[in-house]
Amino acid sequence: MMIATARSMLWLLATDTSRLRKCLVGARAGRTRRALPGAAAATGVRIIAQCIIPCGVRAIVEATCRGHVRNFARRFFAMTAAAVREPVFWRAGLRIEPIAPAEIGVYRSYLQRSESASTEVPLKTSTGKLGRRTAVRRAHALLQLVDRANAAEIGHDETSSYARRYTMDHDPPADDRAAFARLCAAIFANGIGFNAVRNHREALDAAFDLFDPTRVARYDDARIDAILRQPIICDRAKVAACVENARRWLACAADEGTYLGRVARCAAQDDAAVGWPALVELLRSDFVRVAEMTARQVLKRWGFFTALSHPGGKRCLERLGLMAPQAPAPAAQQFIGAIAGAGGRDPYALEASFVLFSTIGPCRTRPLCLRCPLAERCPAAQLEAAPPRPAASSTAAKSA
Ligand code: SF4
């Protein structure tokens, strides 16, 4: 075990690609990995452990202060830019957290889990015959047909704007205020759907002071009555829950500086491959009116992609023979991530294609296979579309 010297400290550095694009794969991942020791040597930082995942880099480093870790990250970005042919765009925010020496084991295993979760796709095809690469390649080909079918249904512009909206709704929140707004949106959406909440977003922002938790926590009964008099949200229990949650948010954030800091600390010890169970429990215990499904909806909207899979998107993957029926939701999300990585696309944008296909396209709850452009390649369609053989005609054929 590494023991930090008196002057140096251990730090966790986590940096993500812009919009969490899964572009650190193959040769690019190798070059990114090789840039780390050079950057460390140039800035006097020592790397204790590291892992490259498709959408970012995690490292445990030893350095004298946070500024040195930041310099190391900047030098690493510069060296990566020089080493790879196609530029990697990084998110502006860095996560740099001190690690107590006693916790180094926990952080090491977090890095190992992150790496194995990003390289293993627990995919099971319905036939069991396809390898991971073949399945991803096949899914990629089908995805092009899905995109074409969506465009034929509602047009290219509407398809792209839907994907943009879907991605923006799930972009990791920039700060606590944005994160709290999404928590409240998930509570409001309970029973009425997210579309209804999105349609009233401006009115809700105005009514709730842009969901600043400090201000919402001070709301009294008179203020709640005033909100309920507006034609936006008429459920007193939901509004009261948001006020109570704002108070709890501030109480939890007081210990960690920000609530997102508390989330990051919990995520460091959680497991993406099984759908972030510890984070789900954290939200359930921290807030009121947050059951497991709401917690997962919130986490997905905070950028935790494997927390929840869209039932329609998952249904499409299963019908197309890309996923085993009843495969766990995190496996579906990891598979979508793998297809996105193979095509250099944003996983949320890619998921949006399948979601659209399952809601306005032919692959609805009751599929319209006869007008589906994927029918020839879809195992589920072959069963659905097979015409029943009339007994009379077969008898006639035999007698002929
Ligand atoms: S053929 Fe039918 S089951 Fe298959 S993807 Fe199309 S609509 Fe869905």
Side-chain angles (χ1 to χ4, degrees), residues 326-357:
Q326 314 304 329
Q333 295 309 100
Q334 284 183 297
F335 184 53
I336 290 175
I339 314 170
R345 280 180 66 173
D346 186 299
Y348 282 106
L350 195 144
E351 186 177 45
S353 294
F354 282 109
V355 171
L356 209 48
F357 189 65

mmCIF file of all heavy atoms in Angstrom, residues 326-357:
data_model
loop_
_atom_site.group_PDB
_atom_site.id
_atom_site.type_symbol
_atom_site.label_atom_id
_atom_site.label_comp_id
_atom_site.label_asym_id
_atom_site.label_seq_id
_atom_site.Cartn_x
_atom_site.Cartn_y
_atom_site.Cartn_z
ATOM 1 N N GLN A 326 -35.266 -9.891 -21.005
ATOM 2 C CA GLN A 326 -35.068 -9.808 -19.540
ATOM 3 C C GLN A 326 -33.622 -9.515 -19.156
ATOM 4 O O GLN A 326 -33.240 -9.735 -18.014
ATOM 5 C CB GLN A 326 -35.510 -11.085 -18.804
ATOM 6 C CG GLN A 326 -36.855 -11.653 -19.208
ATOM 7 C CD GLN A 326 -37.965 -10.644 -19.073
ATOM 8 O OE1 GLN A 326 -37.922 -9.776 -18.214
ATOM 9 N NE2 GLN A 326 -38.952 -10.715 -19.948
ATOM 10 N N ALA A 327 -32.798 -9.077 -20.095
ATOM 11 C CA ALA A 327 -31.427 -8.691 -19.719
ATOM 12 C C ALA A 327 -31.523 -7.505 -18.766
ATOM 13 O O ALA A 327 -32.423 -6.671 -18.902
ATOM 14 C CB ALA A 327 -30.631 -8.304 -20.949
ATOM 15 N N PRO A 328 -30.628 -7.411 -17.770
ATOM 16 C CA PRO A 328 -30.742 -6.288 -16.839
ATOM 17 C C PRO A 328 -30.526 -4.942 -17.534
ATOM 18 O O PRO A 328 -29.802 -4.860 -18.533
ATOM 19 C CB PRO A 328 -29.633 -6.568 -15.814
ATOM 20 C CG PRO A 328 -28.757 -7.591 -16.437
ATOM 21 C CD PRO A 328 -29.529 -8.307 -17.484
ATOM 22 N N ALA A 329 -31.178 -3.920 -16.971
ATOM 23 C CA ALA A 329 -31.126 -2.591 -17.594
ATOM 24 C C ALA A 329 -29.690 -2.079 -17.774
ATOM 25 O O ALA A 329 -29.361 -1.533 -18.836
ATOM 26 C CB ALA A 329 -31.960 -1.620 -16.774
ATOM 27 N N PRO A 330 -28.798 -2.237 -16.773
ATOM 28 C CA PRO A 330 -27.439 -1.716 -16.990
ATOM 29 C C PRO A 330 -26.744 -2.368 -18.187
ATOM 30 O O PRO A 330 -25.969 -1.726 -18.886
ATOM 31 C CB PRO A 330 -26.713 -2.064 -15.688
ATOM 32 C CG PRO A 330 -27.781 -2.229 -14.672
ATOM 33 C CD PRO A 330 -28.973 -2.744 -15.404
ATOM 34 N N ALA A 331 -27.072 -3.667 -18.452
ATOM 35 C CA ALA A 331 -26.454 -4.335 -19.602
ATOM 36 C C ALA A 331 -26.922 -3.679 -20.899
ATOM 37 O O ALA A 331 -26.133 -3.478 -21.827
ATOM 38 C CB ALA A 331 -26.813 -5.818 -19.591
ATOM 39 N N ALA A 332 -28.217 -3.333 -20.946
ATOM 40 C CA ALA A 332 -28.737 -2.658 -22.144
ATOM 41 C C ALA A 332 -28.030 -1.327 -22.341
ATOM 42 O O ALA A 332 -27.632 -0.964 -23.453
ATOM 43 C CB ALA A 332 -30.248 -2.447 -22.002
ATOM 44 N N GLN A 333 -27.846 -0.603 -21.236
ATOM 45 C CA GLN A 333 -27.199 0.713 -21.340
ATOM 46 C C GLN A 333 -25.743 0.572 -21.776
ATOM 47 O O GLN A 333 -25.241 1.345 -22.578
ATOM 48 C CB GLN A 333 -27.266 1.450 -19.998
ATOM 49 C CG GLN A 333 -28.656 1.795 -19.549
ATOM 50 C CD GLN A 333 -29.446 2.498 -20.625
ATOM 51 O OE1 GLN A 333 -30.256 1.880 -21.316
ATOM 52 N NE2 GLN A 333 -29.222 3.776 -20.831
ATOM 53 N N GLN A 334 -25.073 -0.452 -21.244
ATOM 54 C CA GLN A 334 -23.669 -0.647 -21.625
ATOM 55 C C GLN A 334 -23.572 -1.018 -23.097
ATOM 56 O O GLN A 334 -22.645 -0.613 -23.789
ATOM 57 C CB GLN A 334 -23.038 -1.733 -20.757
ATOM 58 C CG GLN A 334 -22.727 -1.218 -19.370
ATOM 59 C CD GLN A 334 -22.034 -2.279 -18.549
ATOM 60 O OE1 GLN A 334 -22.590 -3.323 -18.273
ATOM 61 N NE2 GLN A 334 -20.814 -2.019 -18.190
ATOM 62 N N PHE A 335 -24.559 -1.782 -23.565
ATOM 63 C CA PHE A 335 -24.528 -2.156 -24.967
ATOM 64 C C PHE A 335 -24.749 -0.929 -25.849
ATOM 65 O O PHE A 335 -24.065 -0.732 -26.861
ATOM 66 C CB PHE A 335 -25.589 -3.226 -25.229
ATOM 67 C CG PHE A 335 -25.554 -3.732 -26.645
ATOM 68 C CD1 PHE A 335 -24.371 -4.205 -27.202
ATOM 69 C CD2 PHE A 335 -26.683 -3.715 -27.431
ATOM 70 C CE1 PHE A 335 -24.323 -4.658 -28.514
ATOM 71 C CE2 PHE A 335 -26.646 -4.168 -28.743
ATOM 72 C CZ PHE A 335 -25.469 -4.644 -29.275
ATOM 73 N N ILE A 336 -25.706 -0.078 -25.448
ATOM 74 C CA ILE A 336 -25.927 1.166 -26.204
ATOM 75 C C ILE A 336 -24.646 1.992 -26.199
ATOM 76 O O ILE A 336 -24.255 2.568 -27.216
ATOM 77 C CB ILE A 336 -27.121 1.952 -25.596
ATOM 78 C CG1 ILE A 336 -28.420 1.208 -25.878
ATOM 79 C CG2 ILE A 336 -27.187 3.363 -26.151
ATOM 80 C CD1 ILE A 336 -29.648 1.814 -25.241
ATOM 81 N N GLY A 337 -23.972 2.026 -25.042
ATOM 82 C CA GLY A 337 -22.698 2.755 -24.957
ATOM 83 C C GLY A 337 -21.671 2.179 -25.910
ATOM 84 O O GLY A 337 -20.912 2.919 -26.548
ATOM 85 N N ALA A 338 -21.657 0.834 -26.045
ATOM 86 C CA ALA A 338 -20.682 0.212 -26.944
ATOM 87 C C ALA A 338 -20.989 0.553 -28.407
ATOM 88 O O ALA A 338 -20.076 0.816 -29.194
ATOM 89 C CB ALA A 338 -20.698 -1.304 -26.738
ATOM 90 N N ILE A 339 -22.280 0.567 -28.765
ATOM 91 C CA ILE A 339 -22.627 0.934 -30.152
ATOM 92 C C ILE A 339 -22.236 2.391 -30.394
ATOM 93 O O ILE A 339 -21.686 2.749 -31.436
ATOM 94 C CB ILE A 339 -24.147 0.791 -30.441
ATOM 95 C CG1 ILE A 339 -24.701 -0.523 -29.912
ATOM 96 C CG2 ILE A 339 -24.427 0.907 -31.926
ATOM 97 C CD1 ILE A 339 -26.233 -0.583 -29.962
ATOM 98 N N ALA A 340 -22.526 3.233 -29.387
ATOM 99 C CA ALA A 340 -22.188 4.659 -29.532
ATOM 100 C C ALA A 340 -20.677 4.827 -29.689
ATOM 101 O O ALA A 340 -20.217 5.587 -30.543
ATOM 102 C CB ALA A 340 -22.689 5.440 -28.320
ATOM 103 N N GLY A 341 -19.920 4.092 -28.874
ATOM 104 C CA GLY A 341 -18.459 4.193 -28.949
ATOM 105 C C GLY A 341 -17.948 3.777 -30.315
ATOM 106 O O GLY A 341 -17.067 4.409 -30.883
ATOM 107 N N ALA A 342 -18.550 2.697 -30.864
ATOM 108 C CA ALA A 342 -18.086 2.192 -32.164
ATOM 109 C C ALA A 342 -18.335 3.214 -33.266
ATOM 110 O O ALA A 342 -17.571 3.298 -34.222
ATOM 111 C CB ALA A 342 -18.795 0.883 -32.486
ATOM 112 N N GLY A 343 -19.416 3.994 -33.122
ATOM 113 C CA GLY A 343 -19.730 4.966 -34.180
ATOM 114 C C GLY A 343 -19.321 6.383 -33.816
ATOM 115 O O GLY A 343 -19.653 7.319 -34.539
ATOM 116 N N GLY A 344 -18.657 6.563 -32.687
ATOM 117 C CA GLY A 344 -18.248 7.911 -32.255
ATOM 118 C C GLY A 344 -19.440 8.802 -31.940
ATOM 119 O O GLY A 344 -19.386 10.015 -32.114
ATOM 120 N N ARG A 345 -20.540 8.196 -31.495
ATOM 121 C CA ARG A 345 -21.727 9.004 -31.195
ATOM 122 C C ARG A 345 -21.936 9.136 -29.706
ATOM 123 O O ARG A 345 -21.388 8.378 -28.907
ATOM 124 C CB ARG A 345 -22.974 8.348 -31.815
ATOM 125 C CG ARG A 345 -23.104 8.641 -33.291
ATOM 126 C CD ARG A 345 -24.339 7.996 -33.870
ATOM 127 N NE ARG A 345 -25.592 8.543 -33.364
ATOM 128 C CZ ARG A 345 -26.782 8.209 -33.847
ATOM 129 N NH1 ARG A 345 -26.883 7.349 -34.824
ATOM 130 N NH2 ARG A 345 -27.880 8.736 -33.341
ATOM 131 N N ASP A 346 -22.748 10.107 -29.346
ATOM 132 C CA ASP A 346 -23.104 10.311 -27.945
ATOM 133 C C ASP A 346 -24.092 9.204 -27.538
ATOM 134 O O ASP A 346 -25.075 8.971 -28.246
ATOM 135 C CB ASP A 346 -23.769 11.681 -27.832
ATOM 136 C CG ASP A 346 -24.047 12.062 -26.412
ATOM 137 O OD1 ASP A 346 -24.815 11.331 -25.744
ATOM 138 O OD2 ASP A 346 -23.524 13.080 -25.978
ATOM 139 N N PRO A 347 -23.857 8.488 -26.418
ATOM 140 C CA PRO A 347 -24.777 7.403 -26.056
ATOM 141 C C PRO A 347 -26.219 7.870 -25.879
ATOM 142 O O PRO A 347 -27.155 7.153 -26.217
ATOM 143 C CB PRO A 347 -24.205 6.860 -24.746
ATOM 144 C CG PRO A 347 -23.086 7.732 -24.353
ATOM 145 C CD PRO A 347 -22.725 8.608 -25.501
ATOM 146 N N TYR A 348 -26.399 9.081 -25.320
ATOM 147 C CA TYR A 348 -27.769 9.571 -25.124
ATOM 148 C C TYR A 348 -28.441 9.839 -26.477
ATOM 149 O O TYR A 348 -29.628 9.559 -26.661
ATOM 150 C CB TYR A 348 -27.773 10.839 -24.275
ATOM 151 C CG TYR A 348 -27.586 10.564 -22.799
ATOM 152 C CD1 TYR A 348 -26.393 10.850 -22.160
ATOM 153 C CD2 TYR A 348 -28.611 10.008 -22.051
ATOM 154 C CE1 TYR A 348 -26.225 10.593 -20.804
ATOM 155 C CE2 TYR A 348 -28.459 9.750 -20.694
ATOM 156 C CZ TYR A 348 -27.263 10.043 -20.077
ATOM 157 O OH TYR A 348 -27.102 9.789 -18.738
ATOM 158 N N ALA A 349 -27.682 10.389 -27.443
ATOM 159 C CA ALA A 349 -28.260 10.662 -28.769
ATOM 160 C C ALA A 349 -28.628 9.349 -29.439
ATOM 161 O O ALA A 349 -29.659 9.238 -30.108
ATOM 162 C CB ALA A 349 -27.268 11.443 -29.619
ATOM 163 N N LEU A 350 -27.786 8.348 -29.236
ATOM 164 C CA LEU A 350 -28.066 7.050 -29.848
ATOM 165 C C LEU A 350 -29.294 6.405 -29.201
ATOM 166 O O LEU A 350 -30.164 5.861 -29.875
ATOM 167 C CB LEU A 350 -26.838 6.159 -29.684
ATOM 168 C CG LEU A 350 -26.838 4.923 -30.561
ATOM 169 C CD1 LEU A 350 -25.431 4.629 -31.023
ATOM 170 C CD2 LEU A 350 -27.375 3.739 -29.802
ATOM 171 N N GLU A 351 -29.371 6.527 -27.876
ATOM 172 C CA GLU A 351 -30.551 5.983 -27.199
ATOM 173 C C GLU A 351 -31.815 6.684 -27.703
ATOM 174 O O GLU A 351 -32.860 6.058 -27.880
ATOM 175 C CB GLU A 351 -30.422 6.163 -25.684
ATOM 176 C CG GLU A 351 -31.544 5.493 -24.922
ATOM 177 C CD GLU A 351 -31.377 5.597 -23.398
ATOM 178 O OE1 GLU A 351 -31.058 6.699 -22.900
ATOM 179 O OE2 GLU A 351 -31.557 4.597 -22.721
ATOM 180 N N ALA A 352 -31.684 7.998 -27.972
ATOM 181 C CA ALA A 352 -32.840 8.760 -28.456
ATOM 182 C C ALA A 352 -33.376 8.166 -29.763
ATOM 183 O O ALA A 352 -34.586 8.148 -29.995
ATOM 184 C CB ALA A 352 -32.459 10.223 -28.647
ATOM 185 N N SER A 353 -32.484 7.663 -30.623
ATOM 186 C CA SER A 353 -32.930 7.067 -31.893
ATOM 187 C C SER A 353 -33.832 5.870 -31.626
ATOM 188 O O SER A 353 -34.901 5.730 -32.228
ATOM 189 C CB SER A 353 -31.727 6.588 -32.715
ATOM 190 O OG SER A 353 -30.954 7.676 -33.118
ATOM 191 N N PHE A 354 -33.402 4.993 -30.694
ATOM 192 C CA PHE A 354 -34.213 3.809 -30.391
ATOM 193 C C PHE A 354 -35.520 4.202 -29.684
ATOM 194 O O PHE A 354 -36.562 3.595 -29.913
ATOM 195 C CB PHE A 354 -33.420 2.820 -29.530
ATOM 196 C CG PHE A 354 -32.412 2.016 -30.319
ATOM 197 C CD1 PHE A 354 -31.055 2.238 -30.171
ATOM 198 C CD2 PHE A 354 -32.826 1.059 -31.227
ATOM 199 C CE1 PHE A 354 -30.133 1.501 -30.905
ATOM 200 C CE2 PHE A 354 -31.916 0.317 -31.965
ATOM 201 C CZ PHE A 354 -30.555 0.541 -31.804
ATOM 202 N N VAL A 355 -35.440 5.221 -28.823
ATOM 203 C CA VAL A 355 -36.648 5.661 -28.106
ATOM 204 C C VAL A 355 -37.684 6.184 -29.100
ATOM 205 O O VAL A 355 -38.869 5.844 -29.048
ATOM 206 C CB VAL A 355 -36.285 6.749 -27.065
ATOM 207 C CG1 VAL A 355 -37.541 7.378 -26.474
ATOM 208 C CG2 VAL A 355 -35.423 6.161 -25.965
ATOM 209 N N LEU A 356 -37.196 7.000 -30.049
ATOM 210 C CA LEU A 356 -38.093 7.551 -31.071
ATOM 211 C C LEU A 356 -38.717 6.430 -31.904
ATOM 212 O O LEU A 356 -39.911 6.423 -32.184
ATOM 213 C CB LEU A 356 -37.267 8.489 -31.962
ATOM 214 C CG LEU A 356 -37.962 9.666 -32.625
ATOM 215 C CD1 LEU A 356 -38.810 10.439 -31.652
ATOM 216 C CD2 LEU A 356 -36.923 10.563 -33.272
ATOM 217 N N PHE A 357 -37.883 5.474 -32.266
ATOM 218 C CA PHE A 357 -38.333 4.349 -33.077
ATOM 219 C C PHE A 357 -39.407 3.540 -32.338
ATOM 220 O O PHE A 357 -40.296 2.952 -32.961
ATOM 221 C CB PHE A 357 -37.118 3.467 -33.384
ATOM 222 C CG PHE A 357 -37.375 2.377 -34.383
ATOM 223 C CD1 PHE A 357 -37.699 2.686 -35.703
ATOM 224 C CD2 PHE A 357 -37.283 1.047 -34.022
ATOM 225 C CE1 PHE A 357 -37.928 1.675 -36.633
ATOM 226 C CE2 PHE A 357 -37.507 0.033 -34.945
ATOM 227 C CZ PHE A 357 -37.834 0.346 -36.253
#
